[in-house]
C-alpha cells in the first residue's frame, strides 16, 4: 500500500527522482518513474531495491557508501559495552526500584570476531583493537590486502574460514551484506560452531540471522546472549510462534537505529541529493551507481 501511494504521488506530481528508505520496493515504483529517473537509497544497504527491474526501466539506482560507517560502528561498540556490563537489565531494574548489582566483564583482552571486513567491519575492528585493547579476528571471503588492514585497523588476523574466525571469540559481530546467498548466514549449523557462552551482535541486516535457530540456541544456554539492531521483519515480529526474542532477558534489542544519528543522516541526505544532481547533469560516472549497466540505455 505504501509503495502504491508513493507511485501515485510520483505520477500526480510529475516527480522525476525519489529518495527511498530501507523498505522493499517490488513493482509500482519502477512503473511510475520515467527513464533516467533516480532511485536514491537513503543509506548503504540496497536489498530492498530491485536493480534488475530498475535497469529494465532505465532507472538509475544509487546508495550512500561511507556515509554511515562511523555511526553503525559506534552502535556496534555500544552494544558490546551493553552486553559486557548488563546495561539494559541493570538500568531497567534500578528504574523499577531494585538494587541488584551484577558483575560485568571488561572488553580489554577479549576476542571479537568481525564477520565481514568491509568499511564498517574495519572501523569496528579499529575501535575495538586500538581503543579497547580487544583481539580482533576478521572473516572475509573476498581477497583483501590483509597486511594493510592489519596495520590500519588492528586485526590480529583475517581468515576466510568462519570456524577459524570465531574460535575463542567472546563476541561475534556481523558486517556482511544481505544477499540471497547470505540469507540465514548465521543458521543452526553455524550457531553450533560458535564458542560456548559467546555473544552475537548484529547491526548489519536481519536476514543474516535465522532468528528461530538463534532463539533455540539462547534458550538452550549455548550462547551468553544476543544484541540485535536489525530483524528479519521490521517492526519486529517473531519468526515462529512462541519464540519471541523480546521475552529473553539475555537479548538486547534496538529498533534499527545504528545509522540514526544526526551526523550520518546529514551525510546520507547530502550524498543522495548529490547523486540526483549528477544524474541531471549526465555525470553518471561520478554517481554511486548500483546498476552501472543502465547507463548503456542512454
Amino acid at each position: 500500500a505504501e509503495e502504491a501511494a508513493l507511485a501515485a504521488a510520483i505520477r500526480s506530481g510529475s516527480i522525476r527522482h525519489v529518495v527511498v528508505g530501507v523498505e522493499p520496493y517490488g513493482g509500482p515504483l519502477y512503473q511510475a518513474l520515467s527513464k533516467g529517473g533516480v532511485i536514491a537509497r537513503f543509506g548503504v544497504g540496497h536489498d530492498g531495491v530491485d536493480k534488475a527491474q530498475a535497469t529494465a526501466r532505465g532507472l538509475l539506482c544509487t546508495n550512500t557508501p561511507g556515509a554511515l560507517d562511523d555511526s553503525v560502528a559506534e552502535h556496534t561498540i555500544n552494544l558490546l559495552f551493553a552486553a559486557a556490563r548488563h546495561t539494559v537489565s541493570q538500568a531497567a531494574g534500578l528504574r523499577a526500584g531494585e538494587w541488584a548489582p551484577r558483575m560485568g566483564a571488561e572488553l580489554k583482552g577479549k576476542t571479537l570476531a568481525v564477520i565481514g571486513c568491509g568499511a564498517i567491519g574495519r572501523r569496528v575492528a579499529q575501535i575495538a583493537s586500538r581503543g579497547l585493547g580487544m583481539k580482533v579476528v576478521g572473516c572475509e571471503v573476498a581477497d583483501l590486502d590483509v597486511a594493510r588492514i592489519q596495520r590500519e585497523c588492528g586485526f590480529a588476523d583475517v581468515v576466510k574460514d568462519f570456524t577459524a574466525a570465531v574460535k575463542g571469540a567472546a563476541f561475534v559481530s556481523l558486517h556482511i551484506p544481505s544477499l540471497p546467498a547470505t540469507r540465514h548466514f548465521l543458521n543452526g549449523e553455524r550457531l553450533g560452531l560458535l564458542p560456548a557462552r559467546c555473544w552475537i551482535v548484529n547491526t548489519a541486516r536481519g536476514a543474516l540471522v535465522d532468528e528461530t535457530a538463534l532463539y533455540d540456541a539462547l534458550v538452550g544456554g549455548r550462547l551468553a546472549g544476543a544484541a540485535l539492531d536489525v530483524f528479519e521483519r521490521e517492526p519486529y515480529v517473531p519468526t515462529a510462534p512462541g519464540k519471541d526474542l523480546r521475552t529473553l532477558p539475555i537479548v538486547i534489542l534496538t529498533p534499527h537505529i545504528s545509522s540514526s544519528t544526526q551526523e550520518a543522516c546529514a551525510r546520507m541526505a547530502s550524498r543522495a541529493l548529490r547523486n540526483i544532481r549528477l544524474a541531471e547533469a549526465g555525470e553518471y560516472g561520478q554517481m554511486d551507481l548500483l546498476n552501472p549497466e543502465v547507463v548503456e540505455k542512454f
Side-chain angles (χ1 to χ4, degrees):
E2 292 182 4
E3 183 178 356
L6 175 59
I10 290 169
R11 288 194 174 94
S12 64
S14 299
I15 294 170
R16 184 164 171 76
H17 311 292
V18 64
V19 178
V20 300
V22 70
E23 296 80 8
Y25 295 90
L29 174 64
Y30 309 94
Q31 300 302 315
L33 289 169
S34 59
K35 182 178 179 180
V38 177
I39 300 176
R41 170 74 174 91
F42 188 79
V44 176
H46 48 85
D47 42 305
V49 177
D50 188 330
K51 275 74 69 180
Q53 193 171 169
T55 300
R57 291 281 299 169
L59 303 174
L60 300 140
C61 301
T62 65
N63 66 344
T64 61
L68 48 71
D69 295 355
D70 286 335
S71 288
V72 176
E74 287 182 10
H75 189 51
T76 301
I77 299 298
N78 179 42
L79 292 176
L80 292 181
F81 277 121
R85 294 300 181 96
H86 316 293
T87 306
V88 175
S89 60
Q90 291 281 269
L94 185 58
R95 188 176 294 277
E98 301 173 2
W99 186 269
R102 289 183 63 188
M103 188 75 70
E106 293 182 353
L107 293 177
K108 183 179 180 180
K110 302 297 188 299
T111 298
L112 167 65
V114 172
I115 312 303
C117 300
I120 296 174
R122 293 196 300 270
R123 182 69 178 120
V124 168
Q126 189 177 52
I127 299 170
S129 62
R130 301 283 166 75
L132 302 175
M134 300 184 77
K135 176 184 177 182
V136 183
V137 178
C139 182
E140 177 57 65
V141 295
D143 291 327
L144 296 174
D145 185 339
V146 173
R148 177 184 175 186
I149 66 172
Q150 284 182 307
R151 182 174 64 253
E152 294 179 354
C153 306
F155 284 100
D157 198 5
V158 179
V159 299
K160 294 189 175 183
D161 181 65
F162 178 82
T163 304
V166 301
K167 183 179 181 181
F171 301 90
V172 175
S173 188
L174 301 179
H175 300 284
I176 57 180
S178 178
L179 304 167
T182 59
R183 184 176 185 275
H184 287 181
F185 173 86
L186 201 57
N187 54 18
E189 180 181 356
R190 285 198 178 92
L191 285 167
L193 297 174
L194 299 179
R197 306 302 296 163
C198 81
W199 274 84
I200 300 297
V201 180
N202 187 14
T203 55
R205 278 291 183 268
L208 300 176
V209 178
D210 181 339
E211 291 175 3
T212 300
L214 175 61
Y215 181 96
D216 291 339
L218 291 165
V219 170
R222 282 213 67 258
L223 303 176
L228 311 173
D229 183 55
V230 289
F231 307 91
E232 289 199 61
R233 289 186 283 180
E234 298 180 358
Y236 174 72
V237 177
T239 55
K243 297 189 176 183
D244 190 334
L245 292 168
R246 293 170 297 188
T247 65
L248 303 180
I250 55 174
V251 177
I252 299 169
L253 308 172
T254 55
H256 203 149
I257 59 169
S258 60
S259 62
S260 295
T261 63
Q262 294 178 2
E263 295 83 357
C265 286
R267 288 191 296 267
M268 288 187 286
S270 177
R271 194 70 169 263
L273 293 175
R274 176 180 181 271
N275 281 317
I276 290 172
R277 286 194 295 270
L278 288 170
E280 286 287 328
E283 301 289 344
Y284 306 121
Q286 298 182 45
M287 296 174 66
D288 301 303
L289 278 176
L290 300 170
N291 58 336
E293 64 278 8
V294 76
V295 175
E296 298 174 3
K297 293 180 174 289
F298 304 143

